[in-house]
């Protein structure tokens, strides 16, 4: 039997306090670690979240944890989940379950005492792994450990059935492939995802965008995105461009999922903004994608022009467009333009209504017109630090001829 070794999270006092509390109520083997913490430990990845599966019913688990003096939050009682906080570390604890009814978006569950039943309702074999407090791993599907070590993402049981239970598993298939896959994508899983891609339209935009951004944040999401494209999944999420060259170059240039997403989208701001809104992306992300869709900026653009763009559009927009230009060039070119924008201290408009009032200009529409003319000249002259009074006097005189 495979056993975890050298895992600090497994033997920490915070973890032991949670396991002690559960076993005091349910006896030995009433609780096991499950899913991502086992998978990541096996493949040498950091363990950020510790999930525990238990035979205890939610109310009993809560009572046991509270009796041990631990804070408990009822984070998902309908699905059997509570969160214990031990030494400021959260532990998500879920009662063993089996699906009673599913509709592709959510499931009605019943609690069970059977570890195999709980494993059978999980998405992928490398996630259907359990370990007791000694680190001994239990692999109910018989292939989860092997999959994790080999970098295979394979559905538990029939891929079509797993997807029909929750269509988000299509995106999870590609997301886990992006993060953990080291071989060719499982052909049966790919075929099932392609056949059921229409089901993605039944999901909430928030769930879809969360998975998509997690996928794009992987160290190298290119194989997964390519597989999504060929399976007809990508086109159901975004108005993808035909060429993938810019995206493939961008992956080497930046780990920013928003920039990577931008490089997959066409240079059509209205189309891109509509797609971002359909995905319910944040206003900040929507703004970045819309600005980047104005088109790549050539790295050879004069720095004075870049400063003008930065003043008008904002630093992030110009940096994103320069990165798009660098990706379009295959990552080749002088990158001093990026530093010139990143390091430049954007100046404030050096004059305002007070200076105009001193020249006898009454507040009103005339003030705005003169200030706009001043700003345009100042920006075009590359933000000179002096000469403001002469420029302003000339503009005022010109308006009153």
């Amino acid at each position: 039997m495979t056993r975890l070794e050298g895992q600090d999270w497994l033997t920490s006092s915070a973890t032991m306090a949670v396991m002690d509390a559960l076993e005091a109520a349910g006896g030995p083997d009433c609780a096991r670690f499950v899913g991502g913490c086992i998978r990541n430990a096996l493949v040498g990845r950091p363990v950020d979240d510790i999930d525990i599966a238990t035979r205890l019913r939610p109310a009993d688990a809560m009572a046991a944890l509270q009796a041990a003096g631990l804070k408990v939050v009822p984070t998902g009682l309908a699905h059997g989940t509570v969160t214990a906080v031990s030494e400021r570390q959260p532990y998500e604890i879920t009662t063993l379950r089996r699906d009673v009814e599913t509709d592709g978006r959510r499931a009605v569950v019943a609690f069970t005492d059977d570890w195999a039943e709980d494993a059978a309702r999980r998405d992928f074999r490398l996630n259907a792994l359990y370990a007791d407090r000694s680190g001994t791993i239990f692999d109910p599907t018989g292939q989860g450990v092997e999959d994790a070590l080999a970098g295979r993402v394979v559905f538990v049981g029939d891929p079509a059935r797993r997807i029909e239970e929750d269509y988000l598993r299509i995106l999870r298939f590609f997301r886990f492939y992006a993060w953990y896959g080291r071989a060719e994508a499982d052909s049966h899983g790919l075929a099932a995802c392609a056949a059921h891609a229409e089901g993605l339209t039944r999901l909430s935009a928030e769930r879809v965008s969360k998975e998509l951004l997690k996928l794009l944040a992987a160290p190298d999401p290119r194989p997964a995105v390519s597989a999504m494209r060929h399976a007809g999944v990508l086109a159901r999420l975004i108005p993808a461009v035909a060429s993938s060259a810019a995206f493939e170059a961008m992956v080497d240039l930046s780990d920013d999922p928003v920039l990577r997403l931008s490089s997959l989208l066409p240079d059509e701001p209205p189309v891109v903004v509509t797609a971002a809104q359909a995905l319910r992306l944040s206003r900040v992300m929507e703004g970045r994608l819309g600005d980047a869709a104005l088109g790549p900026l050539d790295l050879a653009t004069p720095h004075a022009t870049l400063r003008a763009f930065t003043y008008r559009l904002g630093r992030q927009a110009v940096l994103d467009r320069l990165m798009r230009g660098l990706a379009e060039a295959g990552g080749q070119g002088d990158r001093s333009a990026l530093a010139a924008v990143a390091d430049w201290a954007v100046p404030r408009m050096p004059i305002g209504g007070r200076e105009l009032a001193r020249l006898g200009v009454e507040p009103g529409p005339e003030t705005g017109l003169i200030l706009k003319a001043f700003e345009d000249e100042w920006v075009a002259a590359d933000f000179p630090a002096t000469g403001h009074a002469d420029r302003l006097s000339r503009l005022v005189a010109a308006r009153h001829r």
Side-chain angles (χ1 to χ4, degrees):
M1 223 175 231
T2 306
R3 183 169 174 166
L4 300 177
E5 302 287 353
Q7 298 295 314
D8 292 341
W9 61 269
L10 187 67
T11 57
S12 73
S13 58
T15 299
M16 291 300 97
V18 173
M19 296 298 282
D20 286 344
L22 295 172
E23 290 186 355
D29 199 37
C30 80
R32 295 176 182 174
F33 304 102
V34 63
C37 57
I38 315 300
R39 178 198 64 229
N40 282 20
L42 278 172
V43 300
R45 298 276 183 92
V47 173
D48 300 316
D49 301 312
I50 304 174
D51 295 338
I52 297 172
T54 181
R55 287 175 165 152
L56 291 173
R57 297 305 190 254
D60 296 331
M62 289 185 68
L65 294 161
Q66 289 168 339
L70 297 172
K71 178 181 177 182
V72 187
V73 182
T75 43
L77 286 180
H79 289 86
T81 300
V82 302
T83 299
V85 181
S86 178
E87 298 179 21
R88 300 185 180 181
Q89 167 75 43
Y91 293 79
E92 191 170 275
I93 301 162
T94 303
T95 301
L96 301 183
R97 301 172 293 181
R98 59 183 174 83
D99 289 338
V100 174
E101 181 182 338
T102 60
D103 63 4
R105 294 183 63 182
R106 60 185 67 83
V108 177
V109 301
F111 301 132
T112 178
D113 294 325
D114 191 333
W115 297 101
E117 272 194 311
D118 187 75
R121 69 174 300 278
R122 294 183 179 270
D123 49 12
F124 311 114
R125 299 187 312 208
L126 82 172
N127 289 338
L129 294 171
Y130 305 79
D132 63 19
R133 63 190 304 167
S134 74
T136 300
I137 295 177
F138 300 86
D139 185 359
T141 71
Q143 294 171 292
V145 170
E146 184 181 329
D147 285 352
L149 295 175
R152 290 192 299 263
V153 181
V154 181
F155 282 98
V156 172
D158 177 25
R161 182 175 178 182
R162 293 287 83 76
I163 290 171
E164 288 165 1
E165 290 167 351
D166 184 352
Y167 288 103
L168 192 68
R169 286 173 173 169
I170 294 174
L171 295 184
R172 285 175 61 82
F173 174 81
F174 293 107
R175 195 246 291 183
F176 277 93
Y177 180 54
W179 279 94
Y180 296 96
R182 294 199 308 278
E184 290 293 320
D186 177 62
S187 59
H188 298 295
L190 270 177
C193 289
H196 291 78
E198 185 276 334
L200 292 171
T201 61
R202 307 185 192 184
L203 300 172
S204 71
E206 291 82 1
R207 295 182 78 200
V208 170
S209 61
K210 185 177 180 180
E211 285 295 326
L212 180 61
L213 292 170
K214 284 182 178 180
L215 186 160
L216 291 173
D220 186 0
R222 288 172 289 199
V225 169
S226 176
M228 290 172 71
R229 187 191 298 272
H230 288 106
V233 170
L234 190 62
R236 290 187 176 273
L237 306 179
I238 60 174
V241 295
S243 172
S244 61
F247 169 72
E248 295 193 359
M250 186 65 82
V251 170
D252 287 328
L253 295 171
S254 174
D255 59 4
D256 182 344
V258 178
L259 260 181
R260 290 175 172 183
L261 177 57
S262 169
S263 66
L264 285 169
L265 294 166
D267 294 330
E268 301 175 47
V271 173
V272 169
V273 169
T274 298
Q277 291 173 345
L279 286 169
R280 299 287 194 276
L281 295 177
S282 70
R283 289 293 182 87
V284 172
M285 289 183 188
E286 178 187 322
R288 285 186 65 189
L289 291 172
D291 289 340
L294 292 170
L297 280 174
D298 194 323
L299 292 174
T301 302
H303 289 190
T305 302
L306 293 176
R307 285 190 285 271
F309 284 158
T310 302
Y311 179 81
R312 300 289 193 189
L313 303 175
R315 194 189 313 275
Q316 187 66 64
V318 177
L319 288 174
D320 285 351
R321 292 178 65 188
L322 283 169
M323 288 295 291
R324 289 283 311 278
L326 185 58
E328 293 282 352
Q332 304 301 311
D334 180 5
R335 303 190 186 188
S336 63
L338 288 162
V341 172
D343 298 339
W344 182 53
V346 180
R348 297 181 64 182
M349 176 84 152
I351 60 96
R354 180 178 301 176
E355 286 77 13
L356 282 175
R358 289 174 185 156
L359 295 174
V361 179
E362 296 291 334
E366 187 77 0
T367 301
L369 291 172
I370 295 173
L371 289 176
K372 178 67 168 61
F374 177 94
E375 184 179 43
D376 288 344
E377 284 196 14
W378 177 63
V379 172
D382 198 18
F383 310 94
T386 60
H388 308 320
D390 290 343
R391 179 177 288 106
L392 189 60
S393 296
R394 175 174 51 78
L395 290 170
V396 170
R399 296 289 301 183
H400 288 88
R401 282 176 187 164

